[in-house]
């Protein structure tokens, strides 16, 4: 499939090049869908806004898209490598500013590339013709199959799921494209066509981009609602804060756990502060949202680490019950309540559908969107 897509791409580019050579046409400056749409057309009308984002959506929101792809990988896998992706995401988010993230993004791409190659080797494993079993299988070890699955180890009975490599590939693809965006957004010619991605930096909250310091903000005032596009902007920039709080409250009340209590505490705090929070400087507002995003990533990481807790504990303490999950011959020394608990825990396996991570994964989307829209207010 990948070879077919690459062949189709090369064929299209070759036909376009021959078409321009025969008619003496100059190739467009950018590889976009609408060549006549630039940043200055963004505020004209709704069709122009749609065309602009079709051209430069990843240029503007590529970093947030990579974060969402990383959360998708963590939620789909829920194994040891998902924990590695979670720690990588924490390391990137701890940089906070876009300028600091740019400096460590190449190392993150190297990390994803190495992780992807290593997982590919684990999926291949030993050839069956070698007639050799793995050391985590009897008689060398009595490791449970669910633990082997969580560790993503090669195995003849429960082989690693190669579909997980597809999610890692999409994340690696997005990270590679974002690396290219980080390089292109520093070019003045690209900034004229697609706009800039500069942010506030430092305690004095000055713009780091010298090009943007030379001219004033020429975005028209949309608070007067002169068009439907202005009405959409007012709705997004005025009510996004309350929409995010609604999502956080629903997440905190969906399940009863210590993690959900953190969402409720954050929601009640923001409701207590109310609209006064939006009157503070943008940098102060972003501190609160960064803490909330960090807590959300912490919840996702902890749920991945704790997803195999029952299996590991019972495998260490009661290995005979694991090897005879459906056997009725339980030692008589255990009381009835312990027997019922052990039987139910012995049947525990890694969930095929990560339902426990649905709510935290959903919360990440509006939180990242709200942080980005706060930066657009600059």
């Amino acid at each position: 499939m990948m070879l077919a897509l690459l062949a189709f791409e090369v064929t299209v580019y070759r036909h376009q090049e021959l078409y321009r050579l025969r008619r003496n046409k100059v190739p467009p400056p950018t590889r976009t869908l609408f060549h006549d749409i630039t940043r200055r057309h963004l505020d004209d009308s709704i069709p122009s806004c749609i065309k602009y984002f079709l051209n430069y959506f990843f240029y503007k929101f590529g970093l947030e898209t990579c974060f969402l792809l990383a959360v998708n990988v963590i939620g789909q896998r829920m194994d040891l490598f998902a924990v590695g992706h979670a720690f990588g995401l924490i390391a990137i988010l701890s940089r906070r500013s876009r300028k600091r993230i740019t400096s460590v993004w190449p190392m993150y791409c190297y990390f994803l590339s190495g992780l992807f190659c290593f997982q590919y080797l684990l999926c291949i494993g030993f050839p069956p013709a070698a007639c050799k079993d793995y050391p985590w299988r009897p008689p060398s070890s009595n490791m449970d199959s669910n633990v082997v699955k969580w560790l993503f180890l090669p195995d003849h009975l429960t082989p690693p799921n190669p579909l997980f490599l597809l999610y890692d590939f999409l994340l690696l693809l997005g990270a590679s494209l974002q690396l290219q965006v980080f390089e292109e957004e520093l070019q003045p010619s690209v900034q004229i066509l697609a706009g800039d991605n500069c942010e506030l930096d430092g305690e004095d909250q000055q713009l780091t981009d010298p090009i943007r310091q030379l001219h004033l903000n020429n975005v028209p005032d949309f608070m007067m609602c002169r068009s439907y596009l202005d009405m959409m902007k007012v709705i997004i920039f005025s009510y996004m804060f309350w929409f995010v709080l609604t999502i956080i409250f629903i997440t905190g009340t969906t399940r009863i756990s210590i993690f959900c209590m953190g969402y409720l505490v954050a929601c009640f705090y923001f409701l207590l502060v109310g609209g006064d929070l939006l009157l503070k400087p943008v940098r102060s507002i972003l501190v609160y949202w960064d803490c909330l995003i960090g807590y959300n990533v912490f919840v996702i990481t902890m749920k991945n680490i704790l997803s195999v807790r029952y299996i590991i504990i019972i495998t260490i303490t009661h290995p005979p019950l694991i090897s005879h999950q459906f056997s009725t011959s339980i030692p008589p020394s255990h009381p009835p309540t312990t027997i019922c608990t052990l039987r139910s825990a012995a049947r525990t396996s890694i969930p095929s559908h990560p339902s426990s991570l649905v709510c935290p994964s959903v919360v990440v989307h509006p939180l990242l969107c709200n942080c980005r829209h706060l930066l657009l207010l600059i």
Side-chain angles (χ1 to χ4, degrees):
M1 180 179 177
M2 296 300 301
L3 293 177
L5 292 176
L6 292 175
F8 178 75
E9 181 186 10
V10 172
T11 303
V12 171
Y13 282 132
R14 291 297 182 184
H15 278 278
Q16 289 179 346
E17 185 178 357
L18 291 175
Y19 179 83
R20 297 189 185 99
L21 289 176
R22 292 174 180 176
R23 290 165 175 79
N24 295 325
K25 291 186 175 182
V26 180
T30 59
R31 293 182 177 182
T32 55
L33 296 177
F34 307 98
H35 308 302
D36 55 340
I37 299 296
T38 59
R39 175 61 183 86
R40 60 188 182 88
H41 300 96
L42 175 61
D43 304 301
D44 293 346
S45 61
I46 294 180
S48 299
C49 181
I50 295 175
K51 291 179 181 179
Y52 173 80
F53 281 112
L54 288 176
N55 285 343
Y56 303 106
F57 176 82
F58 198 86
Y59 175 83
K60 283 293 184 181
F61 300 99
L63 187 60
E64 289 76 14
T65 303
C66 292
F67 290 156
L68 296 181
L69 289 175
V71 173
N72 176 66
V73 170
I74 297 170
Q76 294 293 336
R77 297 184 62 105
M78 292 192 68
D79 56 4
L80 181 62
F81 288 94
V83 177
H85 282 289
F87 284 118
L89 184 60
I90 292 174
I92 293 296
L93 290 175
S94 62
R95 298 291 176 170
R96 295 186 61 188
S97 67
R98 190 181 184 91
K99 183 178 180 180
R100 297 188 183 95
I101 293 177
T102 304
S103 61
V104 299
W105 196 259
M107 293 184 289
Y108 183 63
C109 293
Y110 294 145
F111 167 74
L112 295 178
S113 302
L115 208 62
F116 182 82
C117 296
F118 182 65
Q119 291 177 81
Y120 188 82
L121 294 176
L122 292 180
C123 289
I124 295 176
F126 289 151
C131 297
K132 292 184 178 180
D133 210 343
Y134 296 99
W136 43 85
R137 280 302 179 187
S140 301
S141 175
N142 291 325
M143 185 180 296
D144 185 66
S145 298
N146 288 320
V147 178
V148 175
K149 182 180 178 182
W150 189 83
L151 295 175
F152 203 73
L153 296 175
D155 188 62
H156 298 304
L157 297 179
T158 57
N161 188 2
L163 184 61
F164 290 160
L165 297 182
L166 176 61
Y167 306 125
D168 287 68
F169 170 75
L170 294 177
L171 175 58
L172 179 59
L173 177 62
S176 302
L177 294 176
Q178 183 59 36
L179 181 62
Q180 184 178 358
V181 170
F182 282 143
E183 297 174 355
E184 293 180 350
E185 67 183 9
L186 300 177
Q187 303 175 7
S189 59
V190 177
Q191 294 184 6
I192 295 174
L193 294 176
D196 52 58
N197 288 329
C198 61
E199 298 178 358
L200 291 176
D201 187 51
E203 296 180 356
D204 53 351
Q205 298 184 2
Q206 297 295 324
L207 294 173
T208 57
D209 190 4
I211 296 179
R212 189 171 178 180
Q213 293 177 356
L214 298 178
H215 60 81
L216 298 176
N217 187 9
N218 55 1
V219 177
D221 185 13
F222 55 85
M223 297 303 296
M224 302 301 294
C225 294
R226 299 183 182 91
S227 62
Y228 288 107
L229 181 61
D230 293 342
M231 295 176 62
M232 292 176 56
K233 290 181 181 180
V234 170
I235 293 174
I236 293 175
F237 288 102
S238 300
Y239 300 102
M240 176 65 75
F241 174 76
W242 306 105
F243 173 74
V244 174
L245 290 185
T246 304
I247 298 297
I248 295 175
F249 179 77
I250 294 175
T251 303
T253 55
T254 300
R255 292 175 177 269
I256 301 176
S257 65
I258 189 66
F259 297 123
C260 293
M261 186 182 68
Y263 291 112
L264 292 178
V265 171
C267 181
F268 290 149
Y269 174 78
F270 285 120
L271 288 175
L272 179 64
V273 176
D276 296 338
L277 179 65
L278 301 178
L279 300 179
K280 295 183 178 181
V282 177
R283 180 62 60 186
S284 300
I285 302 175
L286 289 177
V287 171
Y288 292 97
W289 289 109
D290 289 342
C291 293
L292 193 54
I293 292 175
Y295 175 75
N296 194 68
V297 176
F298 169 76
V299 170
I300 294 175
T301 306
M302 291 304 300
K303 286 192 174 183
N304 273 278
I305 295 175
L306 299 176
S307 62
V308 76
R309 60 191 183 277
Y310 296 117
I311 302 171
I312 295 179
I313 292 174
I314 297 177
T315 303
I316 296 175
T317 57
H318 300 280
L321 296 180
I322 294 295
S323 59
H324 302 86
Q325 292 183 6
F326 302 99
S327 176
T328 58
S329 58
I330 299 180
S333 58
H334 295 281
T337 55
T338 307
I339 293 174
C340 296
T341 303
L342 292 176
R343 279 181 175 175
S344 60
R347 293 181 174 88
T348 303
S349 60
I350 298 176
S352 58
H353 300 283
S355 58
S356 60
L357 291 180
V358 171
C359 292
S361 301
V362 171
V363 174
V364 174
H365 294 68
L367 285 177
L368 293 175
C369 292
N370 194 69
C371 279
R372 187 60 178 171
H373 112 264
L374 288 174
L375 293 173
L376 293 176
L377 288 175
I378 300 174

